[in-house]
Amino acid sequence: MTGTINTVRMRAAQETDVPAINDIYNEAVADQVATCDLSNVPVDERRDWLARQRHPYGVWVAVDSAGVEGWVGLFPYDSKPCFHRTATFATYVRRSARGKGVGRQLRAWMIDRAREHGFHTIVNRVWATNDASIALAKRFGFVEVGRMRELVDVDGTYVDCVFFQLVLEAGEDDDDWGVG
């Protein structure tokens, strides 16, 4: 890790955060190591995307005195009913805040929200070339459960995708699912 640890405050994303969320995401698009979007996402699409996020899922931002430094989203893994306690997620950090602990704080926050909301497991896929994301997954106890060779096509270069899973303790709040 380089630089100093950046302590941020976590909170639910708001509509006013959309420009910053979108800028951070589009930095990742330009970097071509973390997202399968190969061109920038327009801010209006991001605004609609945020409006569609509903409990028990959500989007949270990491904020410091400079503003939004990163965000994490917890999303449905699949729309089929049998996957209702499985979620996937995405974490993105502003370039200038990378390597300063923001991603780690976002990941910890997201795992806590997943537990609180009663998820049994969370999964994600990471480009095999994204060393920082792979290290972060392992740091939090995610286990590599698979690899698909040459799944991602970036300008004619093929990259493997690594699949990770973290099995969580059963959540306390079964009311999130209408159970109990």
Side-chain angles (χ1 to χ4, degrees):
M1 183 181 300
T2 60
T4 59
I5 299 296
N6 188 13
T7 302
V8 292
R9 180 176 57 89
M10 303 295 173
R11 63 169 171 75
Q14 302 166 359
E15 200 275 335
T16 56
D17 298 321
V18 167
I21 289 169
N22 204 57
D23 288 346
I24 291 165
Y25 185 80
N26 285 337
E27 283 182 349
V29 170
D31 294 343
Q32 294 188 331
V33 295
T35 176
C36 292
D37 280 318
L38 300 177
S39 60
N40 283 348
V41 174
V43 72
D44 288 337
E45 284 182 25
R46 183 64 61 195
R47 190 169 282 109
D48 294 342
W49 165 86
L50 182 62
R52 289 190 306 271
Q53 306 312 313
R54 299 281 186 258
H55 182 78
Y57 308 98
V59 177
W60 299 273
V61 292
V63 180
D64 67 8
S65 60
V68 175
E69 296 294 338
W71 62 271
V72 64
L74 190 63
F75 310 108
Y77 170 71
D78 192 293
S79 63
K80 304 262 187 313
C82 67
F83 295 112
H84 72 278
R85 291 193 182 228
T86 301
T88 189
F89 66 94
T91 309
Y92 293 95
V93 176
R94 186 177 302 284
R95 273 191 205 117
S96 61
R98 292 179 192 161
K100 297 179 181 176
V102 175
R104 187 178 73 242
Q105 292 171 80
L106 284 163
R107 186 71 50 97
W109 179 265
M110 180 274 303
I111 291 169
D112 287 346
R113 300 300 72 76
R115 282 189 174 110
E116 286 175 3
H117 296 175
F119 288 101
H120 177 71
T121 188
I122 47 181
V123 298
N124 78 319
R125 64 179 185 231
V126 179
W127 293 16
T129 54
N130 192 337
D131 295 333
S133 286
I134 290 171
L136 192 58
K138 291 177 179 178
R139 178 182 186 137
F140 279 93
F142 283 81
V143 175
E144 182 177 331
V145 294
R147 177 181 291 254
M148 295 184 81
R149 295 185 42 77
E150 299 182 2
L151 189 63
V152 178
D153 175 4
V154 181
D155 298 328
T157 300
Y158 291 93
V159 178
D160 294 357
C161 253
V162 184
F163 292 81
F164 287 95
Q165 178 180 19
L166 179 66
V167 177
L168 305 167
E169 297 283 324
E172 295 287 325
D173 192 0
D174 282 344
D175 288 338
D176 286 344
W177 303 105
V179 176

